[in-house]
Amino acid sequence: MKLRKVTAASAAVLALAVAATACGSDDKDDSGSSSGNGGGKKITIGIKFDQPGIGQKTPDGYEGFDVDVATYVAKELGYSEDQIQWKEAKSADRETMLQRGDVDFIAASYSINDERAAKVDFAGPYLLAHQDVLVRADDKDIKAPADLNSKKLCSVTGSTSAQNVKDKLAPKAQLQQYPTYSACLTGLQSGAIDALTTDDSILAGYASQSNFKGKFKLGGFKMTNENYGIGVKKGSDLKAKINTALEKMVSDKSWDKAVEANFGPAGYKNEPAPQIGNVVK
């Protein structure tokens, strides 16, 4: 008889626990995120994990200009920092990630062009970068793109930046392909190469690292226009909301502070904040 009483009591406790769990489930979204700001959900944002000054994963978290922009935008959308889930967005994967819904938006040195805009929508642009070169701080020979003729010009394997320079500006440049930008920088520092080329914002980010500070300088050649936009899924209503957030970031000077914090040590002479929807060709 006592056994039956204990069993009944246990069943009652179990029933109460199940009921409490069921009631609590109303406070979670489909992914199990707890309620709070942003409607109780998480927001997933794609960034680069390996570009200092732009988007970088560090032992202490995530940092860079794109991270600062994305964090500001997320806050304006109603999400606190602890509700952001960062996801690595490699260049070749960005359109697919958006189309599959792996991320809500992507801020990853994502240049707007017609081919990409046919697959995804872009908010912004939020930064106008240019293809440039990085040379040693004491270099006095490379003052214009034509001076790269007969010089050893480095870019990462698979990049078209160095080839663009050779095809259009310096046909006698000696192209050197290294596996990473960090390897190019090491070669530049040792004298194995004479210049490194890619977007000036990326170059500034690398040159701003403490171990390279003061050792390199940007050429300031502005060889192409690279309009960085925030990618969203085609037809998403986030585009308009993100544009509103970007406009506010510029008006309250948070944009200027982010530029200075991430690129300032390299002496990066950035363009003024671009107007939303104005893609410079």
Side-chain angles (χ1 to χ4, degrees):
M1 189 69 179
K2 288 182 179 180
L3 179 60
R4 286 196 297 271
K5 288 182 178 180
V6 172
T7 302
S10 299
V13 171
L14 180 60
L16 287 172
V18 171
T21 302
C23 291
S25 67
D26 291 339
D27 294 329
K28 294 178 180 277
D29 65 7
D30 293 337
S31 64
S33 301
S34 58
S35 61
N37 293 334
K41 301 178 182 179
K42 297 283 187 180
I43 187 167
T44 305
I45 303 173
I47 57 170
K48 290 293 179 68
F49 277 14
D50 59 353
Q51 286 185 346
I54 299 289
Q56 185 178 27
K57 183 178 181 180
T58 73
D60 299 322
Y62 302 89
E63 60 185 33
F65 181 70
D66 284 353
V67 176
D68 290 346
V69 170
T71 301
Y72 187 100
V73 168
K75 182 179 178 182
E76 290 302 305
L77 294 176
Y79 297 89
S80 57
E81 285 192 42
D82 60 1
Q83 290 176 306
I84 298 174
Q85 294 179 328
W86 301 106
K87 196 160 189 173
E88 185 174 17
K90 295 180 179 179
S91 296
D93 300 333
R94 291 176 296 200
E95 286 84 41
T96 302
M97 291 175 70
L98 289 169
Q99 291 168 341
R100 284 194 313 228
D102 296 343
V103 292
D104 293 290
F105 67 79
I106 289 178
S109 54
Y110 203 1
S111 296
I112 301 170
N113 61 36
D114 293 340
E115 181 181 355
R116 292 168 179 166
K119 300 175 183 177
V120 301
D121 284 341
F122 284 100
Y126 62 90
L127 182 72
L128 176 59
H130 307 280
Q131 186 180 343
D132 200 357
V133 297
L134 194 70
V135 299
R136 288 181 290 278
D138 60 356
D139 187 285
K140 297 181 180 179
D141 296 328
I142 302 174
K143 300 177 181 179
D147 295 331
L148 294 168
N149 280 309
S150 301
K151 300 293 186 180
K152 294 178 181 178
L153 179 64
C154 187
S155 194
V156 297
T157 303
S159 171
T160 60
S161 298
Q163 191 63 50
N164 287 341
V165 173
K166 185 176 178 66
D167 289 345
K168 301 175 183 178
L169 301 168
K172 295 182 181 179
Q174 300 174 31
L175 302 189
Q176 307 287 318
Q177 290 192 329
Y178 282 35
T180 65
Y181 289 118
S182 295
C184 282
L185 282 168
T186 301
L188 183 59
Q189 187 174 2
S190 69
I193 62 170
D194 300 304
L196 162 61
T197 185
T198 188
D199 295 356
D200 53 8
S201 57
I202 297 174
L203 295 173
Y206 276 98
S208 294
Q209 295 178 96
S210 58
N211 55 320
F212 292 133
K213 196 174 295 184
K215 296 180 179 179
F216 306 113
K217 63 183 179 181
L218 290 161
F221 297 162
K222 298 184 178 181
M223 294 180 280
T224 64
N225 294 322
E226 306 295 337
N227 299 267
Y228 288 4
I230 293 181
V232 298
K233 190 173 184 178
K234 202 74 175 173
S236 173
D237 62 357
L238 275 180
K239 176 180 176 178
K241 296 176 182 178
I242 292 173
N243 279 337
T244 298
L246 291 174
E247 289 172 344
K248 182 177 179 181
M249 187 177 187
V250 173
S251 66
D252 69 12
K253 305 300 181 182
S254 296
W255 187 90
D256 295 291
K257 293 177 182 177
V259 168
E260 178 59 30
N262 292 290
F263 303 132
Y268 176 52
K269 297 179 181 179
N270 63 283
E271 298 281 4
Q275 293 183 344
I276 299 301
N278 182 26
V279 177
V280 180
K281 300 294 186 180

